[in-house]
Amino acid sequence: MKTKTKTTLKKISPKKTASKRLGLKGATTPKVQEPTHKNLDIYGAKVLPWSRALKQLGSKASGTYWLATTSPDGRPHVAGTGALWIDGKIYFVSGARTRKSRNLAANPSCVFSVSRPGIDLVLEGTAIRVVDRPTLLRLAKRYAAQGWPASVSGTAITAKYSAPSAGPAPWNLYVLRPSTVFGVSTAKPPGATRWRFDRTR
């Protein structure tokens, strides 16, 4: 008499199978990084959630981004820019001969401020010039979708027109990944919070 042997089939998820096939031991889906925070409110309000700032940064509401840079002699300089918030970063353009671009060439540390519905934000970081063509094309397309007929020319952005303060075309594309963000609520619920991001991200 033969004894039947019960075979147990172990279910393997597609993600684990792919990880094993590619040699990615212990590979997991990357998690969205949350910043550390500090409550700056002095009237008893709770910490503002980063999701509130993120929602407004990603909204289509109009609002001018103001870029603050520092001249080589230490003087501050502030100028409005047509910036875009994409994937946790600020992209903006500036003519090579403008004061802000010359300041960034000497000292890339800078600060953006913007007033969004219900919250004012200040974003600190380092601006880096973008020269890779895929990113230039992607950002030109995003600008064009918003009504500015931007296109790529070499390693810069060009168009038939821009703001007078941008200088003559072509314009360099920059990206800033915030290291520190300050938020002050201008609507209920109130509050003031500082968020800091891991500089290695």
Side-chain angles (χ1 to χ4, degrees):
M1 180 177 178
K2 294 184 179 180
T3 305
K4 291 184 179 180
T5 304
K6 187 177 180 181
T7 303
T8 303
L9 296 177
K10 191 175 182 180
K11 292 185 178 180
I12 302 174
S13 69
K15 184 164 64 176
K16 287 183 179 179
T17 303
S19 299
K20 187 175 181 180
R21 185 173 63 249
L22 296 173
L24 304 176
K25 187 177 180 180
T28 57
T29 304
K31 295 180 180 179
V32 177
Q33 184 197 25
E34 287 294 322
T36 59
H37 62 262
K38 180 179 180 180
N39 193 343
L40 303 180
D41 188 82
I42 60 174
Y43 300 106
K46 294 182 180 180
V47 169
L48 299 176
W50 172 239
S51 58
R52 179 174 172 182
L54 204 57
K55 180 180 179 181
Q56 292 306 324
L57 286 167
S59 74
K60 294 182 179 180
S62 61
T64 300
Y65 281 82
W66 296 92
L67 172 63
T69 59
T70 306
S71 299
D73 62 3
R75 288 181 299 162
H77 179 267
V78 178
T81 64
L84 296 175
W85 174 264
I86 301 173
D87 299 332
K89 298 179 283 289
I90 299 175
Y91 289 90
F92 64 101
V93 295
S94 179
R97 290 180 288 175
T98 60
R99 167 50 58 193
K100 55 184 176 291
S101 287
R102 286 180 286 155
N103 286 352
L104 290 173
N107 181 2
S109 296
C110 56
V111 178
F112 268 101
S113 61
V114 61
S115 182
R116 308 299 284 173
I119 191 168
D120 290 340
L121 297 164
V122 173
L123 307 97
E124 300 178 347
T126 300
I128 300 171
R129 187 180 169 196
V130 177
V131 295
D132 67 283
R133 191 167 181 81
T135 303
L136 287 165
L137 290 169
R138 182 166 63 97
L139 267 294
K141 187 176 180 180
R142 291 292 291 266
Y143 274 118
Q146 293 194 351
W148 184 45
S151 61
V152 176
S153 175
T155 58
I157 299 290
T158 190
K160 292 181 179 179
Y161 62 85
S162 186
S165 61
W171 302 283
N172 294 334
L173 176 67
Y174 295 88
V175 62
L176 178 143
R177 189 192 295 269
S179 56
T180 303
V181 180
F182 296 88
V184 177
S185 174
T186 58
K188 293 182 179 180
T193 301
R194 181 192 70 200
W195 299 280
R196 279 187 174 161
F197 295 87
D198 181 359
R199 292 181 181 275
T200 62
R201 73 192 181 114

